[in-house]
Amino acid sequence: DMTMASLLPLLISALTATCVAYAISGTDAMFDFQLQDAFSINQVPSSLLLGLICGLVALYAMRTMTATERMFSRVKGLMAERADVNAVMNNSFFYGHPALLLLFLGLIILLKSFATSATNGGGGCGGTFAPSLFLGCLSGYVFCCLWNHFDILGIHLSERNYALLGMAGLMSGFFHAPLTGVFLIAELTGGYDLFIPLMIVSAAAYLTIHIFEPHNIYAIRLAERGDLLTHDKDKAILTLMRLDDVIERSTVKLSPEIELGKMVQVVSRDEREDYAVTDAAGHLKGIINLTAVRKVIFRSELYRLFRAEQLMKQPEEIIYITDTVPEIMEKFQRTRADVLPVLATDKTFEGFVSRSHLLDSYRKMMRDFSEE
């Protein structure tokens, strides 16, 4: 949450970085930009369309980068040898053909995400910030050239301006940060005169990609692993909680053949109310709840007549060691059970999770979370 305790150090660090950068590099914008064609109201349709296209390009780039990085992560040592850069450029199909510039740039838009993923997934340190700016610049430029070529609506667009707008659009879609796209691009280039189209393109790009992908390029990895924290405190706490924090590991296990009399002797030395009945391999066969069998455990004349397998019941639901706490909460909500067993990946019994213990842990973490 954006509390004052977190906002103050952010402001201090941002101001410090800005002052140091100004002292070393001056106050000029990083990229020189001179506005040639001022924004007019008749450019709103083209700005909206560019934003939509930037959102779709960002979605394409995110999906391809995620899939490609997942593939390259299985390949080790990809960047171990030094490539001959000069050899890569020799005999290029596009060399000496300036008329094919738009085709060349279009192919870069399609393939840039694969190149970035190959660098990151193969062990390099390429990042995603600069590639998003580069991809956005090309997208805006190609869009503007095609718009002018087909003379859409009879409106001529500035290639310089729309290259800049494309950078903001891709950043907004890629990182789900429209305000960052607006202010950062304006700050990098000094193009504050384009604030209105920057906001239009950034908002349109964000709304477009949010329809298909609710997470940004960084959060999507965390979401896949179930580690994503959100501004929803309930979801954030459930994400932070771990099964190991709430599982009650039981050392007392009953065999199916154990007689009631022997079982009473075993459970009398323990404070639990629920016991697992397991076979020799440790696989769960059923559960005995002492309250449920209270009518027979106090009748000594029945001690030799009943065995554990006759008294046990099947659990209403099974918790697996790989389940997340939100999944466990959902199972308790669905079954209304007080206690559920936990099984390992090989189906062996690990312990119990009780609803009361789970809620106590949740309340404690909620209290600590709120105090922070």
Side-chain angles (χ1 to χ4, degrees):
D1 289 333
M2 186 59 70
T3 61
M4 186 57 65
S6 61
L7 181 61
L8 190 60
L10 286 174
L11 291 175
I12 293 175
S13 62
L15 290 172
T16 303
T18 301
C19 292
V20 171
Y22 282 172
I24 296 175
S25 305
T27 58
D28 294 335
M30 182 177 295
F31 301 106
D32 184 27
F33 174 79
Q34 299 296 329
L35 182 65
Q36 293 179 337
D37 300 315
F39 173 77
S40 60
I41 193 65
N42 60 5
Q43 294 181 17
V44 171
S46 59
S47 299
L48 287 172
L49 182 58
L50 176 60
L52 186 147
I53 291 175
C54 286
L56 295 177
V57 172
L59 176 65
Y60 163 78
M62 287 176 61
R63 295 285 173 85
T64 54
M65 287 179 66
T66 302
T68 307
E69 285 187 18
R70 190 178 293 116
M71 178 187 68
F72 273 98
S73 64
R74 297 192 292 265
V75 180
K76 306 301 181 182
L78 182 64
M79 306 298 288
E81 298 182 4
R82 185 167 183 169
D84 185 356
V85 179
N86 294 323
V88 175
M89 297 299 296
N90 289 343
N91 303 315
S92 173
F93 175 79
F94 296 95
Y95 182 78
H97 299 280
L100 298 177
L101 176 62
L102 288 183
L103 176 60
F104 176 65
L105 296 180
L107 289 175
I108 290 180
I109 293 174
L110 291 175
L111 300 176
K112 177 61 179 174
S113 55
F114 290 99
T116 302
S117 302
T119 301
N120 296 335
C125 186
T128 54
F129 175 72
S132 70
L133 294 180
F134 177 73
L135 195 58
C137 180
L138 293 184
S139 298
Y141 179 81
V142 172
F143 170 83
C144 184
C145 289
L146 293 175
W147 179 284
N148 291 334
H149 177 75
F150 293 104
D151 193 26
I152 300 176
L153 300 181
I155 302 172
H156 181 80
L157 305 179
S158 170
E159 296 170 351
R160 291 162 56 94
N161 293 357
Y162 275 76
L164 189 68
L165 297 177
M167 295 168 68
L170 251 294
M171 178 171 291
S172 300
F174 218 57
F175 304 111
H176 286 212
L179 291 180
T180 300
V182 171
F183 287 104
L184 185 59
I185 298 305
E187 180 66 22
L188 285 174
T189 62
Y192 288 96
D193 293 330
L194 292 175
F195 231 58
I196 293 178
L198 281 172
M199 288 189 290
I200 294 174
V201 173
S202 297
Y206 171 75
L207 292 175
T208 299
I209 194 171
H210 198 269
I211 296 174
F212 304 99
E213 181 54 66
H215 306 298
N216 62 41
I217 188 63
Y218 300 124
I220 193 171
R221 276 87 166 178
L222 296 172
E224 289 177 348
R225 299 199 305 264
D227 294 332
L228 179 63
L229 299 182
T230 68
H231 291 288
D232 187 325
K233 285 187 177 181
D234 179 69
K235 292 183 178 179
I237 291 173
L238 292 179
T239 301
L240 290 170
M241 293 177 67
R242 294 291 180 266
L243 177 57
D244 286 340
D245 300 329
V246 295
I247 186 174
E248 301 173 8
R249 300 190 182 276
S250 175
T251 57
V252 178
K253 302 181 184 65
L254 305 175
S255 67
E257 297 80 15
I258 187 173
E259 293 182 348
L260 177 59
K262 181 65 174 179
M263 186 186 78
V264 171
Q265 296 179 11
V266 172
V267 301
S268 64
R269 298 189 293 268
D270 194 81
E271 298 180 353
R272 300 177 186 274
E273 190 172 343
D274 297 274
Y275 294 88
V277 179
T278 61
D279 58 19
H283 297 144
L284 182 70
K285 308 299 290 185
I287 295 176
I288 292 180
N289 178 271
L290 296 186
T291 301
V293 297
R294 185 181 299 275
K295 293 182 179 180
V296 296
I297 59 176
F298 293 113
R299 297 179 60 181
S300 57
E301 68 274 14
L302 303 177
Y303 281 3
R304 291 184 176 274
L305 299 179
F306 286 95
R307 296 192 302 273
E309 60 184 356
Q310 297 172 282
L311 301 173
M312 68 182 186
K313 291 185 177 181
Q314 295 303 311
E316 299 173 81
E317 184 63 87
I318 298 292
I319 296 175
Y320 294 96
I321 203 70
T322 54
D323 286 352
T324 63
V325 173
E327 292 172 336
I328 296 172
M329 280 285 198
E330 197 277 331
K331 290 182 178 181
F332 273 108
Q333 185 70 20
R334 186 172 61 251
T335 62
R336 298 293 181 179
D338 294 323
V339 176
L340 291 177
V342 181
L343 302 187
T345 53
D346 60 354
K347 309 298 184 181
T348 57
F349 175 73
E350 289 286 326
F352 288 105
V353 172
S354 68
R355 177 193 290 267
S356 60
H357 189 191
L358 185 62
L359 293 179
D360 286 343
S361 299
Y362 174 85
R363 282 191 287 265
K364 181 179 182 302
M365 188 166 287
M366 173 67 83
R367 184 173 60 252
D368 296 341
F369 198 79
S370 300
E371 291 175 354
E372 293 177 359

